[in-house]
Amino acid sequence: MLKTRIISALLSLALAATLLAGCAPAEDNDIGAPQPSASPASTLEYKPEYIALPEGIRKIESIFTGAQIYFLAQRDDGAGIYAMEYDGTEIAELPEYAAPEGCVAVAMCLSDDGCGFWIAEYVAAGSADMENNANAGEANEYLLRRLDSNGAELASYIQEHAERTSDSGTSAAPTRSLVTDGYGSVYLFDSDYGVSVFDADGNKTTFLDKKGEAVLLSLFRETGGDVTALTL
């Protein structure tokens, strides 16, 4: 069910609008991360603690939480998925993850059951043909994959882009994000195109283009399962 509502204004510039919501699941599927206790804003104090990342990481594409903190990182030799404890210790790379040839990993999130991941990998035009997709390489596409807790592939779905909805007139790299809603849907945002929504079998069910939006920045999932967009 599609519904739109304004959540709040952020610094007079950004506002969050709930994009889609469905019937509530039988139980809350949100993964149990440590819950901070409420405290007055006046008591907050910024005290940064810095965590050394493994050598070779040059960019983090996605970061999200579950039983641990997870992040998808670009390295000098490709991409990797990492997990670490909430105190920043025991950083480890998931051993079974490997991006297919010709793909660039761009966004990732935890699956609703908390036992694996969804990942979006961008297939650049001109890349080698991919298994079960004779037309791969003829146009820019996404590979949407389901991974297990070690990063091994469980399922793979090629997704063609919708027609570009606008020309931003800038050479800035697109921003992308991937989230689930707790009701079986997966949301892929690409700032060049809009938001594509898929069911658990990788079938596209909805496309929300970016026409009429000044700038769509990212997606995030609320505690109840609604998916919200941050717009400028």
Side-chain angles (χ1 to χ4, degrees):
M1 177 175 68
L2 176 66
K3 69 175 184 179
T4 306
R5 60 185 174 89
I6 296 177
I7 303 300
S8 62
L10 302 179
L11 300 180
S12 300
L13 291 177
L15 53 83
T18 297
L19 295 179
L20 294 175
C23 298
E27 58 184 66
D28 190 353
N29 288 324
D30 289 344
I31 306 306
Q35 298 298 314
S37 59
S39 59
S42 59
T43 67
L44 298 180
E45 185 177 355
Y46 177 58
K47 293 183 177 180
E49 296 182 10
Y50 297 98
I51 299 169
L53 297 179
E55 186 176 356
I57 291 179
R58 54 185 174 83
K59 182 181 179 183
I60 292 179
E61 298 285 0
S62 299
I63 185 167
F64 49 95
T65 60
Q68 296 176 292
I69 295 175
Y70 302 94
F71 58 93
L72 170 65
Q74 297 290 349
R75 302 187 307 235
D76 295 334
D77 60 349
I81 301 169
Y82 296 81
M84 69 180 182
E85 299 301 322
Y86 275 88
D87 61 2
T89 63
E90 299 185 33
I91 300 177
E93 185 176 1
L94 301 190
E96 301 298 325
Y97 172 71
E101 183 179 356
C103 287
V104 178
V106 294
M108 185 175 168
C109 66
L110 201 66
S111 59
D112 284 333
D113 60 11
C115 298
F117 309 92
W118 283 98
I119 188 166
E121 292 150 324
Y122 188 68
V123 186
S127 63
D129 284 357
M130 300 178 65
E131 185 178 358
N132 299 324
N133 184 48
N135 295 319
E138 295 179 3
N140 293 336
E141 296 172 322
Y142 271 108
L143 183 64
L144 187 65
R145 293 200 292 159
R146 178 78 183 272
L147 309 178
D148 69 13
S149 58
N150 289 317
E153 180 182 298
L154 298 175
S156 177
Y157 313 97
I158 277 284
Q159 305 293 342
E160 294 184 0
H161 275 318
E163 182 179 354
R164 184 186 296 267
T165 57
S166 68
D167 186 356
S168 63
T170 176
S171 59
T175 57
R176 301 164 173 131
S177 56
L178 191 69
V179 297
T180 62
D181 63 4
Y183 314 126
S185 295
V186 184
Y187 297 62
L188 171 62
F189 160 64
D190 184 310
S191 60
D192 279 345
Y193 297 92
V195 180
S196 296
V197 186
F198 307 92
D199 64 21
D201 295 320
N203 302 306
K204 185 181 291 187
T205 59
T206 309
F207 174 71
L208 307 175
D209 70 32
K210 56 185 283 187
K211 291 178 181 177
E213 298 287 357
V215 180
L216 182 58
L217 300 176
S218 65
L219 300 180
F220 62 92
R221 171 178 164 173
E222 298 179 44
T223 301
D226 288 347
V227 172
T228 296
L230 182 65
T231 64
L232 182 65

